[in-house]
Amino acid sequence: MIIDDVVFILVVLIASILCLLIFRALGILKKESCPKCTNVLIRKHRSFNDKMLIVMTLYILPFKRYKCRKCGWEGLRWQVERTKLPRP
């Protein structure tokens, strides 16, 4: 039935959003340091595929591309955006 398909799609969509929110809450793939050598990471330009990944995660995990200066590791990490507090 069509209703069963719609319900299935909604359940999958809600489950994927919950998984993304759990990833964000637990800090999985969060930018801290290089996963290989724990050195400082530098930012690189995102590719088209990186931007598509951000869209597919519904902007819940704002992935950015980083590279390690020491060992050359390159990959995606996400960083929690700091919100600016309004000045009184």
Side-chain angles (χ1 to χ4, degrees):
M1 298 274 276
I2 295 174
I3 295 177
D4 293 338
D5 294 337
V6 171
V7 170
F8 176 74
I9 291 171
L10 286 174
V11 168
V12 169
L13 183 63
I14 290 171
S16 64
I17 290 172
L18 286 175
C19 287
L20 291 171
L21 290 172
I22 290 171
F23 273 28
R24 187 171 183 152
L26 294 177
I28 297 173
L29 295 177
K30 186 176 178 182
K31 178 205 171 211
E32 291 175 2
S33 60
C34 176
K36 285 187 175 181
C37 67
T38 66
N39 198 21
V40 178
L41 297 172
I42 58 172
R43 285 284 308 275
K44 292 202 63 171
H45 290 286
R46 286 182 263 200
S47 68
F48 177 76
N49 292 338
D50 298 341
K51 293 177 183 177
M52 291 308 300
L53 180 64
I54 295 169
V55 170
M56 290 189 324
T57 60
L58 304 173
Y59 297 92
I60 294 174
L61 297 177
F63 285 108
K64 296 178 181 174
R65 183 161 290 281
Y66 292 94
K67 183 175 182 179
C68 178
R69 290 183 183 187
K70 187 175 180 183
C71 70
W73 176 88
E74 185 175 330
L76 296 174
R77 293 286 196 212
W78 62 273
Q79 180 177 349
V80 176
E81 301 295 327
R82 295 184 179 154
T83 58
K84 294 182 179 178
L85 296 175
R87 292 187 147 184

